[in-house]
Amino acid sequence: MKIRFVKKQFLLVCCFLTVFTVFSQQTTVNVHVITDFNNALELYNNKAYAAAQKIFDKINVQAEKNASIKADAAYYGAMCAVILNQTNADQKVLDFVEENPTSNKKNKAFFNVANYYFANKKASYALKWYEKVNTDLLSKEDQKELNFKMGYSLLVTDNLTLAKNKFQPLINDAKYGNDSRYYFGFIAYKLEDYGLAESTLKEIADNKSYKAEISYYLLDISFKSAKFERCIIVGTELLKTSKRKEVSEISKIVGESYFNLKKYAEAIPYLKAYTGQNGKWTNSDYYQLGYVFYKQNEYQNAITYFNKIIDEKNAISQNAYYHLAECYLNIDKKTEALNAFKTASEMTFNTEIQEDAALNYAKLSYEAGNPFQNVSDVLQDYLKKYPNSSAYKMINELVVSSFIHQQNYQGALDYLKKKNTTENITLTNEVSLYRGIQLFNDNKFTEALSYFVKSKGSKDAEIEQKSMYWEAETLFRLENYEDAVAKFLVAKRFLSTNKEEFSLMNYNIGYSYFKLKNYTKAIDAFTQFLAENQADPSINNDALVRLGDSYFATRNYEDAINSYQTVVRNSATDADYAEYQIGMSYGFRDENSDKIKALTKVVNDYKTSSLKDDALFQLANTYIKIKDNAKAHQAYERLLENHPKSSFLSKALVRQGLLYYSDNQNKKALEKFKLTVQKFPNTPDAIQAVNNAKNIYLDEDNLDEYVAWVKKLDFINVSNDDLDNSSFVIAERKYFEAKNYEGIILTLHKYLEKFPKGTHSLKANYYLADILFKDKQFDKAIANYKIVINAGASEYSEDALAKLSQIYLEKQNFKEALPLLEKLEQEAYAAENVQFAQSNLMKGYYETKAYKEAISYAKKVLSMNKDKNSLIEDAKTIIARSSIKTNDFLTAQEYYTAIEKNAIGELKAETLYYNSFFKNQQQKFEASNKVIQELIADYSAYKYWGVKSYVIMGKNYYSLKDAYQATFILENVIKNFPQYKDIVNEAQIELTKIKENEAKTNNSIIQKN
């Protein structure tokens, strides 16, 4: 309640009264000076102080030095300066005293100046002058006046003890008694001397001037003396007659009295009626209302007040946070309870509450997850801090379980290593399996392998058998097919392929045999896999393609055709490849008519097929075989015209030239041969074209023209041909034997040193690059791959583009990789190379922040690979991430929603983060928090996304009017995760906003600059 001091105006005795001084007897004084002085006095008495001062100052200059009129003029001039509030007024008074030390007006001057400042409510100025007054020279009435005014000035300037001593002698005075008694009692109240205050104020409780204030003080004194019943009786009566501005303070006392008597229901309306100091409550005010609702089991209402208590640490806030946690538990909000228990457990004001809060924090961390600490660390910290707790055994048992529950398998393994017990060894084998699978899902196959080997030592048959399977699966992913198939076959003895986890076992066995070129066993495995008919359709179609390829490789063309036709009927992604292979199979059966039909379908029915140029090349060759040269030419021309970057161009030109040559159209043949040499110099096809042209020139007896032409070709050296060929035969034989990489590399280097532009230099560069790549000498392979690529399209250029781009991708050198991938996309005829190019272009563009291009290629990947699950997910992820970067949130939400269904590991954590982000944007705050809780509970191993999501949770809680949760979360992000600077900065900005806003209604929040 705001204290109202009762102030009365007191006449300034002898201060600025009319002065009737007559100087008629002073014959020595200049008559004009006397006249001026009297005129000035008249002006002074009429309050014309400025005009009077001018005359007094003039007299002070003109009058004789020791004349009394000079002293009087100086005195009144100083008084005018004080009244006019001039800056030098104090100095003028002091100058008067110094110049007239024996003046009878000196004491009067001090007293008058002090009274003037007192009357103008300048207490500190008044005190300074009152202290100069010699009280012995004052009358008794003036002494009383001085004491009263000094007392009041001391009270106003908060010198309560000194003020009390001034008022005490005046308590029974007729004139100053009531006022002094009131102020004396009020000071005792302020000094918390409630007995003296009560006895003093009661004596004037019926005084109309002070009745309202005294009633409040007496009520508050009763409250502070713990007379709560009396406070309720008196307070409720006072409220009936109180002014509106007094209702708040009185209601507060009544409400707190009920609170202290544990009459919580009765306290509620009075506590709510309190409006705070200047419209602001304190944390204690919020606590009391929160607690009364808590005791009434009105938990949601209690939370509304408890969660306003922020930015303060004391016994009240520790109690508040503990009860806040209980309220959250009672409405099944475990994550919110977790945070409140944590805060209570970090305060030491009540150690019993601290320990119980710490226990609840540990248990809830295990049950609901913990965003700020590893659950296992929380549990272990509790055990260290409270080793004698009755809950010690229970918490100890939860430690390993917490690691596993949070998917922190490495943490579990590290913990188990600390104690080498039989139980821990058994658990280590099991957890090693889980850790291996986790690394496998993150595509860290080499790291995963050792964990599967370790887990195979488990005495639990199921763990051992699963470990066998995952070891084989890992070797398969590492392309170690020989070891993989051996491990799969062992695992297959124990495991059922009917289980979803192992449903791809026969597929992987078949694929391994296929890669090892053991096609007969591949056929058996793929056949078994397809008979099970339980895999994803895309996998089944791929198995059918590989089964067809295996039959094709073993020359079982009939069964190959049947497999391929199933793929075509299913309209699978590889249907164009299957159709092409059907044609080739018919060709090997000499069923050229059916071959032509199949290849024609590839050309005409598959608009985006990368095999169109292959099909046209084979069609032309087939037409030649059936002696339909016209259609052969049509096919070659269509290939040359529509596929200018095809690797078949050089061969097509040579074969078309030969076809013209066989038809005795030598001129056209020469044109084709020379075009081959021009476009594809220094390639095997160019060499063949030169030899074929030579035959034409010889037939036409035109050897000179041939020689003239050949001399212009820097890759033809007629005299060295035999040596060139012999040297290369040796190198090529070693290359195909592939027994000793070092020896092959040496032989190819020797050949290229002797014949840098030799007949076989292109092939030799390709062979050398290929061997260096296989020997993992990637940096050395780069130069040779570049030579192959720069030579133009050839049968080696596609593989060279793929391998060289792969080398640069491994180095994260996107500047070099991207142009190669673009070229590969345009020139590749192998579907897997087109796929490789497009998928890495989308990733490369994303990594180089070319987000529009990344999205474009991701959409290409989606359109071309509808059955390739892993690529589909990669493409959707790129689109989602790029859309976030370009602020296209609608597209980002669409794709993140699609990804979330099948995502695992860190990607799942990322999708959940954005799910919560989009829900926050849509103001679905509770739904957003539920998603974040799922992220924290199930994917805590991916800390970045968990921490980032908690900034959103802080925003959500504040939007839900839960300031405590919001500030708790944001403060803990700032405190615990300095390694994530971007997140900490975002959290700090949000926290500052919240505290600035809450400070508007909470006095306990101190704003920091």
Side-chain angles (χ1 to χ4, degrees):
M1 183 173 186
K2 187 176 181 180
I3 308 303
R4 180 175 69 85
F5 293 127
V6 179
K7 302 175 183 176
K8 292 185 177 180
Q9 300 297 319
F10 297 91
L11 293 175
L12 303 180
V13 179
C14 301
C15 181
F16 305 118
L17 299 178
T18 306
V19 181
F20 301 98
T21 306
V22 179
F23 296 96
S24 58
Q25 296 176 358
Q26 299 181 15
T27 58
T28 60
V29 178
N30 186 295
V31 174
H32 295 295
V33 172
I34 295 173
T35 302
D36 288 344
F37 184 84
N38 287 328
N39 290 336
L41 281 178
E42 185 176 356
L43 290 169
Y44 183 90
N45 289 329
N46 290 325
K47 299 182 180 181
Y49 302 115
Q53 185 184 36
K54 288 181 180 179
I55 300 173
F56 284 132
D57 288 347
K58 176 182 174 184
I59 294 169
N60 195 25
V61 173
Q62 293 176 348
E64 295 181 8
K65 185 175 181 181
N66 294 320
S68 61
I69 197 168
K70 178 181 180 68
D72 289 341
Y75 168 76
Y76 286 114
M79 293 302 103
C80 288
V82 171
I83 296 169
L84 293 171
N85 199 25
Q86 293 174 350
T87 55
N88 62 343
D90 289 8
Q91 190 58 46
K92 281 196 172 188
V93 175
L94 293 174
D95 289 345
F96 163 74
V97 172
E98 185 179 350
E99 292 170 3
N100 303 279
T102 59
S103 172
N104 61 357
K105 290 185 173 63
K106 181 176 75 171
N107 208 49
K108 183 179 179 182
F110 291 150
F111 193 40
N112 287 347
V113 173
N115 281 341
Y116 175 78
Y117 282 127
F118 182 85
N120 284 280
K121 301 179 182 179
K122 295 183 178 180
S124 60
Y125 282 96
L127 278 172
K128 183 177 77 170
W129 291 98
Y130 280 133
E131 288 169 355
K132 296 179 184 294
V133 175
N134 185 344
T135 56
D136 293 338
L137 300 178
L138 297 178
S139 67
K140 286 187 177 180
E141 282 302 311
D142 286 347
Q143 287 178 3
K144 290 178 185 179
E145 180 184 352
L146 176 72
N147 282 334
F148 181 82
K149 291 180 178 178
M150 279 192 76
Y152 186 82
S153 297
L154 287 164
L155 172 62
V156 171
T157 56
D158 209 29
N159 292 296
L160 300 183
T161 303
L162 293 176
K164 182 180 175 185
N165 294 335
K166 293 292 182 182
F167 286 125
Q168 189 172 14
L170 301 173
I171 285 177
N172 295 313
D173 184 77
K175 183 175 182 180
Y176 301 106
N178 284 344
D179 292 332
S180 297
R181 191 181 301 279
Y182 171 76
Y183 292 131
F184 182 83
F186 173 75
I187 292 169
Y189 168 79
K190 295 294 285 184
L191 293 173
E192 299 183 2
D193 187 349
Y194 298 122
L196 178 61
E198 186 175 27
S199 62
T200 302
L201 292 172
K202 276 184 176 179
E203 294 178 11
I204 55 170
D206 294 328
N207 187 302
K208 291 182 179 179
S209 298
Y210 307 110
K211 186 173 183 179
E213 286 76 10
I214 290 174
S215 296
Y216 172 77
Y217 298 143
L218 291 175
L219 176 66
D220 194 40
I221 289 168
S222 295
F223 178 79
K224 289 180 168 65
S225 303
K227 298 174 182 178
F228 303 124
E229 296 284 3
R230 174 176 172 75
C231 286
I232 291 168
I233 295 169
V234 174
T236 50
E237 284 300 314
L238 275 176
L239 285 171
K240 295 176 182 177
T241 57
S242 294
K243 296 177 182 178
R244 191 165 70 176
K245 64 180 179 179
E246 298 166 344
V247 169
S248 172
E249 296 288 347
I250 296 171
S251 296
K252 178 69 170 171
I253 292 173
V254 174
E256 287 195 29
S257 297
Y258 276 124
F259 181 91
N260 289 321
L261 292 171
K262 299 183 179 180
K263 296 181 178 180
Y264 301 117
E266 293 89 337
I268 291 173
Y270 294 101
L271 292 176
K272 290 178 75 174
Y274 178 60
T275 57
Q277 296 290 336
N278 298 319
K280 295 183 178 182
W281 283 16
T282 65
N283 284 342
S284 296
D285 301 329
Y286 286 116
Y287 171 78
Q288 288 174 343
L289 254 176
Y291 190 80
V292 296
F293 280 118
Y294 163 77
K295 296 299 287 186
Q296 297 299 110
N297 297 331
E298 294 184 35
Y299 301 117
Q300 191 59 60
N301 281 332
I303 289 169
T304 301
Y305 291 98
F306 281 141
N307 67 23
K308 292 286 186 182
I309 300 172
I310 60 174
D311 210 34
E312 192 172 54
K313 291 183 178 181
N314 52 33
I316 289 175
S317 58
Q318 185 182 25
N319 270 282
Y321 296 139
Y322 184 85
H323 295 313
L324 176 60
E326 291 184 303
C327 291
Y328 281 129
L329 280 181
N330 277 292
I331 61 173
D332 199 31
K333 290 190 173 183
K334 292 183 178 180
T335 300
E336 291 84 344
L338 173 83
N339 297 337
F341 277 131
K342 176 176 171 59
T343 305
S345 73
E346 292 172 341
M347 297 185 190
T348 58
F349 304 102
N350 185 318
T351 54
E352 288 184 13
I353 288 178
Q354 183 185 20
E355 181 173 350
D356 194 59
L359 176 60
N360 280 291
Y361 176 60
K363 290 193 294 186
L364 278 174
S365 293
Y366 177 78
E367 292 175 21
N370 190 307
F372 305 113
Q373 292 176 272
N374 289 325
V375 175
S376 55
D377 290 342
V378 174
L379 296 168
Q380 290 175 83
D381 288 345
Y382 178 83
L383 296 177
K384 289 174 187 175
K385 191 168 185 177
Y386 303 105
N388 299 319
S389 168
S390 59
Y392 188 93
K393 183 179 179 182
M394 174 189 70
I395 298 298
N396 190 48
E397 291 172 353
L398 295 179
V399 176
V400 176
S401 298
S402 70
F403 279 120
I404 295 173
H405 179 70
Q406 296 293 313
Q407 298 182 18
N408 185 0
Y409 304 120
Q410 189 59 54
L413 291 171
D414 293 340
Y415 180 76
L416 289 168
K417 282 180 185 177
K418 294 177 183 178
K419 293 183 180 180
N420 196 25
T421 63
T422 303
E423 181 182 358
N424 281 5
I425 292 170
T426 301
L427 282 170
T428 296
N429 291 329
E430 180 179 353
V431 177
S432 292
L433 172 64
Y434 304 145
R435 176 57 174 158
I437 294 173
Q438 187 178 54
L439 289 167
F440 180 94
N441 287 334
D442 288 338
N443 296 324
K444 298 177 180 178
F445 304 120
T446 303
E447 293 177 50
L449 191 59
S450 61
Y451 288 94
F452 295 133
V453 173
K454 174 72 177 174
S455 61
K456 279 173 30 178
S458 176
K459 293 180 180 179
D460 184 308
E462 184 178 1
I463 299 297
E464 180 190 16
Q465 290 159 16
K466 284 186 175 183
S467 300
M468 290 178 183
Y469 170 80
W470 284 104
E471 180 188 18
E473 182 76 23
T474 304
L475 289 166
F476 175 77
R477 294 298 182 92
L478 289 170
E479 299 182 8
N480 185 348
Y481 300 115
E482 193 167 346
D483 288 343
V485 76
K487 301 291 185 183
F488 275 130
L489 291 173
V490 173
K492 191 176 177 183
R493 297 179 202 163
F494 305 102
L495 301 170
S496 170
T497 56
N498 290 326
K499 288 187 177 179
E500 184 178 353
E501 186 177 0
F502 314 120
S503 61
L504 296 180
M505 190 183 306
N506 280 320
Y507 172 83
N508 291 341
I509 291 171
Y511 199 90
S512 297
Y513 278 131
F514 181 82
K515 285 293 185 179
L516 292 169
K517 299 184 179 180
N518 189 336
Y519 301 114
T520 301
K521 289 186 177 180
I523 289 168
D524 291 339
F526 284 130
T527 302
Q528 288 182 51
F529 172 74
L530 291 166
E532 291 160 2
N533 195 30
Q534 59 179 350
D536 184 276
S538 64
I539 303 295
N540 280 344
N541 285 321
D542 191 67
L544 282 165
V545 170
R546 299 308 170 197
L547 178 61
D549 289 346
S550 299
Y551 281 129
F552 186 89
T554 57
R555 301 182 182 180
N556 183 349
Y557 301 117
E558 183 176 357
D559 286 336
I561 291 168
N562 290 333
S563 294
Y564 292 137
Q565 284 178 336
T566 304
V567 175
V568 172
R569 284 196 296 271
N570 291 342
S571 299
T573 300
D574 293 329
D576 61 331
Y577 172 78
E579 192 75 71
Y580 178 82
Q581 287 295 99
I582 289 170
M584 297 304 291
S585 298
Y586 278 128
F588 284 112
R589 286 161 57 96
D590 288 328
E591 298 176 18
N592 293 315
S593 177
D594 288 330
K595 177 182 180 181
I596 289 170
K597 287 179 182 178
L599 293 176
T600 301
K601 286 182 180 179
V602 174
V603 175
N604 296 332
D605 295 352
Y606 297 92
K607 294 181 180 180
T608 59
S609 175
S610 62
L611 296 171
K612 286 177 179 284
D613 56 336
D614 302 62
L616 286 166
F617 184 72
Q618 291 298 332
L619 273 171
N621 295 341
T622 307
Y623 282 127
I624 291 172
K625 188 175 181 181
I626 64 172
K627 302 188 184 305
D628 190 343
N629 292 355
K631 287 188 177 180
H633 280 301
Q634 288 175 6
Y636 283 134
E637 289 299 333
R638 193 171 173 186
L639 170 60
L640 296 170
E641 182 180 343
N642 296 336
H643 304 279
K645 294 183 179 181
S646 171
S647 61
F648 291 103
L649 293 186
S650 59
K651 286 182 172 53
L653 286 168
V654 171
R655 294 200 178 194
Q656 196 175 15
L658 287 170
L659 190 58
Y660 281 127
Y661 181 60
S662 67
D663 288 340
N664 295 316
Q665 298 184 53
N666 290 352
K667 185 179 179 181
K668 288 185 177 182
L670 272 176
E671 287 175 359
K672 294 297 180 183
F673 293 142
K674 287 187 175 183
L675 189 57
T676 305
V677 172
Q678 177 189 335
K679 288 191 172 184
F680 308 99
N682 201 23
T683 64
D685 290 317
I687 304 300
Q688 186 182 351
V690 170
N691 291 331
N692 292 336
K694 179 181 178 182
N695 293 331
I696 294 174
Y697 281 117
L698 290 174
D699 288 347
E700 295 182 349
D701 195 16
N702 196 359
L703 187 58
D704 290 341
E705 189 174 335
Y706 166 74
V707 173
W709 174 55
V710 168
K711 282 182 178 179
K712 297 176 184 177
L713 307 178
D714 58 5
F715 62 92
I716 297 296
N717 189 336
V718 178
S719 61
N720 286 333
D721 277 356
D722 290 340
L723 184 58
D724 183 333
N725 290 333
S726 299
S727 298
F728 185 71
V729 166
I730 296 169
E732 189 170 41
R733 185 178 69 248
K734 286 187 177 183
Y735 171 78
F736 284 115
E737 286 174 353
K739 291 180 180 179
N740 180 354
Y741 286 167
E742 187 176 350
I744 298 168
I745 292 168
L746 182 61
T747 303
L748 287 168
H749 269 305
K750 283 183 178 180
Y751 171 80
L752 287 169
E753 286 172 6
K754 288 182 180 179
F755 307 101
K757 296 183 179 181
T759 305
H760 307 287
S761 60
L762 181 65
K763 190 182 291 188
N765 273 293
Y766 172 74
Y767 286 168
L768 180 54
D770 187 51
I771 289 297
L772 290 168
F773 186 91
K774 289 175 179 175
D775 200 35
K776 298 184 179 179
Q777 298 186 48
F778 301 119
D779 288 340
K780 291 183 179 180
I782 291 173
N784 301 98
Y785 276 133
K786 283 185 174 180
I787 290 171
V788 175
I789 293 167
N790 291 336
S794 68
E795 60 186 299
Y796 311 113
S797 58
E798 181 173 341
D799 189 60
L801 284 166
K803 294 288 175 56
L804 184 55
S805 59
Q806 186 177 337
I807 291 171
Y808 284 130
L809 288 170
E810 289 292 332
K811 293 173 173 289
Q812 297 286 298
N813 185 346
F814 298 108
K815 182 179 179 181
E816 297 289 347
L818 290 175
L820 294 170
L821 290 167
E822 288 175 344
K823 190 176 179 68
L824 178 62
E825 181 199 13
Q826 295 298 320
E827 297 183 7
Y829 76 92
E832 61 187 26
N833 281 335
V834 175
Q835 183 183 96
F836 171 80
Q838 290 178 341
S839 60
N840 282 292
L841 279 166
M842 75 175 178
K843 293 173 184 176
Y845 279 126
Y846 178 79
E847 292 297 332
T848 55
K849 300 182 181 180
Y851 301 119
K852 289 183 179 179
E853 290 81 357
I855 291 172
S856 175
Y857 271 100
K859 289 181 177 179
K860 277 188 181 182
V861 170
L862 286 177
S863 66
M864 296 291 290
N865 300 277
K866 294 180 180 177
D867 296 329
K868 304 289 184 182
N869 285 339
S870 60
L871 272 180
I872 289 172
E873 296 307 310
D874 284 349
K876 289 179 180 176
T877 302
I878 293 292
I879 293 174
R881 289 173 178 168
S882 298
S883 297
I884 285 289
K885 296 291 186 181
T886 56
N887 294 322
D888 183 0
F889 296 133
L890 287 176
T891 301
Q893 183 177 8
E894 175 189 348
Y895 280 90
Y896 270 121
T897 302
I899 297 165
E900 187 180 333
K901 298 173 185 176
N902 300 315
I904 57 175
E906 186 170 8
L907 181 59
K908 180 72 169 183
E910 180 183 343
T911 62
L912 289 172
Y913 167 79
Y914 280 109
N915 188 338
S916 70
F917 171 82
F918 295 129
K919 283 182 167 58
N920 170 272
Q921 295 288 303
Q922 296 158 4
Q923 299 187 2
K924 298 176 180 178
F925 304 118
E926 291 184 349
S928 176
N929 277 348
K930 285 183 179 179
V931 175
I932 294 170
Q933 287 162 7
E934 179 187 349
L935 167 55
I936 299 304
D938 298 337
Y939 298 92
S940 63
Y942 307 104
K943 189 64 72 178
Y944 178 84
W945 294 110
V947 176
K948 194 170 177 65
S949 72
Y950 257 69
V951 177
I952 294 178
M953 183 174 264
K955 296 178 184 178
N956 288 338
Y957 275 122
Y958 196 62
S959 296
L960 292 167
K961 303 187 184 305
D962 194 333
Y964 164 73
Q965 291 293 338
T967 56
F968 172 87
I969 289 165
L970 296 170
E971 284 170 349
N972 274 276
V973 167
I974 295 165
K975 174 184 175 183
N976 295 313
F977 305 105
Q979 66 271 37
Y980 303 129
K981 292 182 181 179
D982 57 327
I983 302 176
V984 168
N985 289 339
E986 185 181 359
Q988 186 63 64
I989 290 169
E990 291 302 320
L991 180 63
T992 301
K993 286 180 186 176
I994 291 171
K995 286 192 174 182
E996 285 177 352
N997 198 45
E998 287 300 300
K1000 296 174 183 177
T1001 56
N1002 190 338
N1003 260 330
S1004 297
I1005 298 173
I1006 300 172
Q1007 283 294 291
K1008 298 175 183 177
N1009 294 327

